[in-house]
Amino acid sequence: MTISLLLGVVVGILILILKSNLISSGNNNVWNIINSIFFQDISVDEGKNAIGLFYIIGQLFLNSLQLIIVPMIFSSIALSMCHISDTKKLGRISKKTLLNFLTTSILALIVAIIFGYIANTLGLFTVNIGGNVASAQTASSSNPLLVLIDAVPSNITAIFSTNSRVLAVVVLAICTGLCINCLGDKILVLKKLLEDINSIITVFLNFIITKFSPIAVFVLISRTFAVYGLDHLSSALSYMLVVAIASILFLLIGYPLFIYVKTGLNPFIFMRKMSKVALLGFSAASSAAALSLNQKTSVEELGISEDISSFTLPLGMTINMNGTAIMQVIATVFIASSSGYNITLQNMIVISALALIASIGTPSAPGSSSIILFSILTGMGYNNPSTLIAYSLILAINRPIDMLITSLNVIGDAATALVVAKSENCLNEDIYNS
């Protein structure tokens, strides 16, 4: 992925230089031929007779990711509700776990709103791709509380036929999962079906991310340079920098404060012992890949009881996505702002609410956070042609950000497990302080 990113940048710069030289020397026809073969958008009138190889490859990648949005959200959240099968036996632990997940998520979203608002106010995200402001004003003029009404669908099949009803999918998935949970062994076929769907999605997503995405990243980056120039990339780098700063501050300050306030323990011991888990999550860009090491470290080095770690960490891997929420809020603000939409503080609060809900349904596979991002955009009504361009740009450059936010996710799971264990007197402080 990194090699593809670097190659895309190098080739893109060379293409940009070639384009500039051809146009400046009066050889516009030569560039038009090159553009027609490789870069032209074939869905518009200008591209009716073009080939657009890079455009086709990029769109196939985007369509592949969008294809699994609804089944991925539904199966992931429904199964996570099924996993809370010990609510009666571990009622207090379940409530404390979910409450602390919510606490860290809200803190992460506050950080995201602050950094997103400052960056947008300073004009760091202003690219104005396509300049489509009219549709933006139409989309943002409705009452954002209508999102709550749309959360309960009047037709089940309708929400599965579009990617724009993410909140309704989440609500339906939660209800389905909780009902399966209550019925227990009476419902086996549907639960097994959801597990099979989730397994298929994981295999499909792994193929797209590991096999297809390196090619797609190269194509998307190269085409971005060729079609849109350096201005858009410089703003995208501003997005990466803002997300990186917000994430690192939350990792180094937010989690230690959370642990100290909730437990009174020395948070630096926690951060030191969890550093290898964070590094594994960073390198793999997958919470699932770091789960076994996270559990081992929590029990053997932090002194958390195995009962609590085995319940909290797998559940957190599914529904506790603090880093993902930070990225999705800032990415949505960047995409909407660069697509011509006027972003207000009220918009950002609604975006944060959607990001909180959507992050619950984000699987622990690499790159899945970028897929859920599209559902937030459509849920907010950000759907003009420029939005897809900016979204494609995020997909092309987001791998380093995915790696960073995964570290936040896995550390957040362990921090919650520590807090819950301390409150239940299931923490061996001698092991923790050793």
Side-chain angles (χ1 to χ4, degrees):
M1 187 75 71
T2 303
I3 294 174
S4 299
L5 178 62
L6 294 176
L7 283 177
V9 171
V10 172
V11 173
I13 292 175
L14 293 176
I15 293 171
L16 194 60
I17 294 173
L18 175 64
K19 175 183 178 180
S20 178
N21 289 337
L22 288 175
I23 294 177
S24 62
S25 62
N27 294 314
N28 294 51
N29 291 335
V30 177
W31 170 250
N32 289 337
I33 293 173
I34 295 174
N35 184 57
S36 176
I37 295 174
F38 293 102
F39 310 117
Q40 178 62 51
D41 181 350
I42 63 174
S43 66
V44 298
D45 291 338
E46 294 83 354
K48 287 182 178 179
N49 299 317
I51 299 175
L53 290 176
F54 278 35
Y55 174 80
I56 291 174
I57 294 173
Q59 286 301 119
L60 288 175
F61 177 67
L62 296 176
N63 290 346
S64 298
L65 294 179
Q66 296 170 30
L67 171 67
I68 59 174
I69 287 177
V70 170
M72 181 174 64
I73 292 176
F74 184 80
S75 63
S76 178
I77 294 182
L79 286 174
S80 71
M81 294 299 104
C82 294
H83 291 158
I84 313 178
S85 57
D86 296 329
T87 304
K88 293 181 179 179
K89 185 173 65 174
L90 298 173
R92 293 194 319 274
I93 295 176
S94 301
K95 291 176 183 177
K96 289 178 180 179
T97 298
L98 295 174
L99 180 60
N100 283 289
F101 282 161
L102 181 62
T103 300
T104 56
S105 296
I106 291 175
L107 291 174
L109 289 171
I110 291 173
V111 171
I113 290 174
I114 292 172
F115 277 84
Y117 183 80
I118 292 174
N120 191 50
T121 302
L122 294 177
L124 298 179
F125 293 166
T126 304
V127 185
N128 197 25
I129 300 176
N132 194 341
V133 181
S135 62
Q137 294 172 340
T138 302
S140 60
S141 61
S142 61
N143 192 322
L145 292 179
L146 288 174
V147 173
L148 299 177
I149 298 177
D150 292 336
V152 180
S154 60
N155 188 312
I156 290 180
T157 58
I159 66 171
F160 288 106
S161 62
T162 176
N163 289 332
S164 63
R165 299 288 303 278
V166 58
L167 187 57
V169 175
V170 169
V171 170
L172 182 60
I174 291 174
C175 294
T176 302
L178 290 177
C179 290
I180 293 174
N181 198 343
C182 291
L183 293 170
D185 293 338
K186 294 180 181 180
I187 304 294
L188 297 176
V189 175
L190 180 56
K191 185 175 180 180
K192 184 64 169 63
L193 177 61
L194 290 173
E195 291 173 347
D196 290 343
I197 292 174
N198 204 46
S199 298
I200 292 172
I201 290 171
T202 299
V203 172
F204 178 80
L205 187 57
N206 283 336
F207 172 80
I208 294 297
I209 296 299
T210 60
K211 303 297 183 182
F212 193 10
S213 65
I215 300 172
V217 164
F218 169 77
V219 166
L220 289 170
I221 285 290
S222 301
R223 184 174 183 271
T224 299
F225 272 97
V227 177
Y228 310 114
L230 290 172
D231 290 340
H232 303 138
L233 289 182
S234 63
S235 184
L237 292 176
S238 298
Y239 149 76
M240 294 180 68
L241 184 62
V242 172
V243 175
I245 293 174
S247 300
I248 292 172
L249 284 178
F250 191 75
L251 178 65
L252 299 180
I253 299 177
Y255 285 139
L257 282 176
F258 172 71
I259 291 171
Y260 180 74
V261 170
K262 287 282 189 174
T263 68
L265 297 170
N266 185 347
F268 299 107
I269 296 176
F270 171 85
M271 298 302 292
R272 173 174 57 82
K273 292 184 176 182
M274 287 299 297
S275 59
K276 56 181 174 294
V277 180
L279 183 60
L280 178 59
F282 180 85
S283 59
S286 170
S287 299
L291 178 61
S292 58
L293 180 60
N294 203 354
Q295 286 183 311
K296 184 174 185 294
T297 304
S298 296
V299 174
E300 297 180 3
E301 299 186 34
L302 297 180
I304 300 172
S305 72
E306 190 169 349
D307 287 341
I308 289 182
S309 67
S310 62
F311 171 77
T312 302
L313 296 180
L315 183 63
M317 184 186 71
T318 306
I319 69 173
N320 187 41
M321 302 283 185
N322 302 322
T324 301
I326 289 175
M327 183 279 290
Q328 288 173 340
V329 169
I330 296 177
T332 302
V333 173
F334 164 75
I335 292 172
S337 179
S338 62
S339 302
Y341 292 91
N342 296 320
I343 306 298
T344 65
L345 188 58
Q346 184 185 31
N347 294 142
M348 294 186 65
I349 293 174
V350 177
I351 290 171
S352 298
L354 285 177
L356 175 62
I357 296 169
S359 65
I360 294 174
T362 305
S364 54
S368 54
S369 59
S370 301
I371 307 171
I372 302 298
L373 174 61
F374 184 80
S375 63
I376 298 175
L377 294 171
T378 54
M380 288 296 297
Y382 301 147
N383 52 15
N384 66 28
S386 300
T387 302
L388 189 57
I389 297 172
Y391 173 67
S392 303
L393 185 58
I394 293 294
L395 284 178
I397 65 172
N398 214 47
R399 175 66 177 189
I401 296 300
D402 270 336
M403 298 166 70
L404 179 59
I405 63 176
T406 301
S407 296
L408 265 70
N409 293 341
V410 297
I411 296 297
D413 298 341
T416 296
L418 179 68
V419 170
V420 173
K422 173 68 174 177
S423 67
E424 290 290 316
N425 295 318
C426 295
L427 178 68
N428 189 326
E429 295 191 32
D430 292 332
I431 295 178
Y432 182 85
N433 292 314
S434 63

